[in-house]
Amino acid sequence: MSSGDRAITDADTLVSVLSGTIPDERVLEAVRSVPRPAFVPPELRAEAWHNVALPIGGGQTISQPLVVARMLELLRLRGDELVLDIGTGSGYHAALLARLARRVISIERRPELSRKAAASLAAAGIDNVELVIGDGSLGLAKRAPFDAINVAAASDLEALRALGGQLAAGGRLVAPLAEDASHPDLQRLVVLRAHPRGLTIWRCEPVRFVPLVSDARGPREPPEPPTA
Ligand code: SAH
């Protein structure tokens, strides 16, 4: 990768790390253009361009850039899509989706995270993300159908199939699937595609996400560790 005669930035370094696994130039350009430091707590900014997940408060994390880039690659966005993002967290994944699609609706059940994400998105100059506070485990039927759905928390197949019902024809859903209820940490990225005769599912590599907490149907969120 050539950086011309300008200085090599932290963003370039992250992109060159990701490019070993992710060949999709649009995804790499999105990663380069979204300032990840705007989405992490101030005390962790020095690590913001590293390829690592970081805590964002409330026991939640901003996902590892490589995993986010892989999920974006699997969604194969072209630029004209309406995307539903479930689990806003820091808002970073939503920001990248917003660079690759027309409009993103991102839903988060923790109001304090959604409020911080709003500030981060504004600081990053991203104005095509709409934030919704609520339980996204059932999708957002009143705004469906979606051309793409990104799920940033681990779900079972039944939940993903229900969400897949909110896809437009030909649409794709990418999510971490936890298939064995007794081992919720054993997860795989999956792609669901909406075909005229139903959903197809494609299983990809193992990943590790926090669970999608359903206020309506479980699983229950583990208790938070006491803070010092
Ligand atoms: N996409 C985020 C990381 C997601 S972490 C980022 O880029 O930073 C998973 C997020 O999903 C957490 O913020 C958690 O609060 C949220 N979440 C879990 N269950 C949810 C639900 N049912 N509806 C909406 N958000 C949920």
Side-chain angles (χ1 to χ4, degrees), residues 60-62 87-90 93 108-110 113 134-136 152 210 213:
Q60 310 301 314
T61 54
I62 176 172
T88 310
S90 68
H93 205 147
E108 168 61 54
R109 60 185 284 282
R110 291 174 171 263
L113 288 180
D135 179 1
V210 298
V213 179

Side-chain angles (χ1 to χ4, degrees), residues 36-37 39-57 59-65 89-90:
R36 194 167 182 253
F39 296 87
V40 306
E43 64 277 13
L44 295 175
R45 294 229 160 113
E47 294 165 70
W49 285 109
H50 297 181
N51 184 26
V52 290
L54 294 168
I56 54 170
Q60 310 301 314
T61 54
I62 176 172
S63 309
Q64 184 189 3
S90 68

Side-chain angles (χ1 to χ4, degrees), residues 163-180:
L163 291 172
Q166 293 181 15
L167 283 173
R172 287 172 169 247
L173 175 153
V174 171
L177 167 66
E179 250 166 328
D180 180 349

